[in-house]
Amino acid sequence: MVTIIEHETPIDPRRVYATGISNGGIMVYTLACKTRIFAAIGPDSATEMADCPSPAPISVIHIHGTADTHIPYNGGPGHNRDATIDGPAVPTLNAAWLRTDHCATPTVTTAGVVTTSEATCADHRGVELITIAGAGHQWPGAKPNVLVQKLLNSDPPSTALNATQVIWRFFSTHPQP
């Protein structure tokens, strides 16, 4: 897809990013594990499902609620009407990317229900984990829409932060070296 878009529209190859929620976030992790074209990824309410034995270093921002029952924050099988997703605990996944990116010890801050773990890494990369206490399977800051929530089997969006703005801020400061 990136190649097709690149043929139609000029892009900066150092600024190719991917984000997604739930299955889209799982896809984002798969892209990070199997390609080398992305500067950063931003999964939300997601996990890594496929083996990822030797990923290329990449900046990662992950947003996840502690009350997500579809893709549990602490790992294990989720409860979803469409599929059972059984992945690692989010902190374990985050630790793997900290090692991959050769990061310094993260700085952890808490503001209200939001805990942010930020690490600076080799080659100006970054790994950030944003945890929202009590938030479910949702895109924080989205406009509530009961129909969409039913169709996507998601929870009401958290108002603790705006995921779109937070992920874009991260992406804009993390091009490929």
Side-chain angles (χ1 to χ4, degrees), residues 80-136:
N80 187 341
R81 69 174 182 221
D82 300 324
T84 298
I85 296 174
D86 188 356
V90 174
T92 302
L93 182 55
N94 186 66
W97 286 101
L98 289 168
R99 287 188 302 277
T100 296
D101 287 328
H102 306 286
C103 302
T105 301
T107 301
V108 179
T109 57
T110 300
V113 297
V114 178
T115 299
T116 303
S117 169
E118 293 179 272
T120 55
C121 312
D123 294 325
H124 306 288
R125 288 188 177 86
V127 173
E128 191 168 324
L129 172 60
I130 299 174
T131 304
I132 306 173

Side-chain angles (χ1 to χ4, degrees), residues 16-20 25 27-33 35 38-43 48 58-62 97 126 128 167 170-171 174:
V16 178
Y17 307 104
T19 188
M27 179 190 70
V28 165
Y29 272 124
T30 302
L31 291 170
C33 289
T35 69
F38 295 95
I41 60 168
E48 207 170 88
I58 186 172
S59 292
V60 178
I61 181 171
H62 183 126
W97 286 101
E128 191 168 324
I167 292 171
F170 183 86
F171 284 175
H174 290 92

Side-chain angles (χ1 to χ4, degrees), residues 8-93:
E8 298 292 322
T9 305
I11 65 168
D12 180 347
R14 293 182 59 233
R15 293 187 177 276
V16 178
Y17 307 104
T19 188
I21 179 173
S22 192
N23 287 336
I26 293 168
M27 179 190 70
V28 165
Y29 272 124
T30 302
L31 291 170
C33 289
K34 297 184 182 277
T35 69
R36 296 181 180 270
I37 63 172
F38 295 95
I41 60 168
D44 171 63
S45 301
T47 190
E48 207 170 88
M49 294 294 292
D51 288 336
C52 191
S54 56
I58 186 172
S59 292
V60 178
I61 181 171
H62 183 126
I63 300 173
H64 213 107
T66 60
D68 188 336
T69 59
H70 301 304
I71 301 176
Y73 184 82
N74 291 318
H79 305 287
N80 187 341
R81 69 174 182 221
D82 300 324
T84 298
I85 296 174
D86 188 356
V90 174
T92 302
L93 182 55

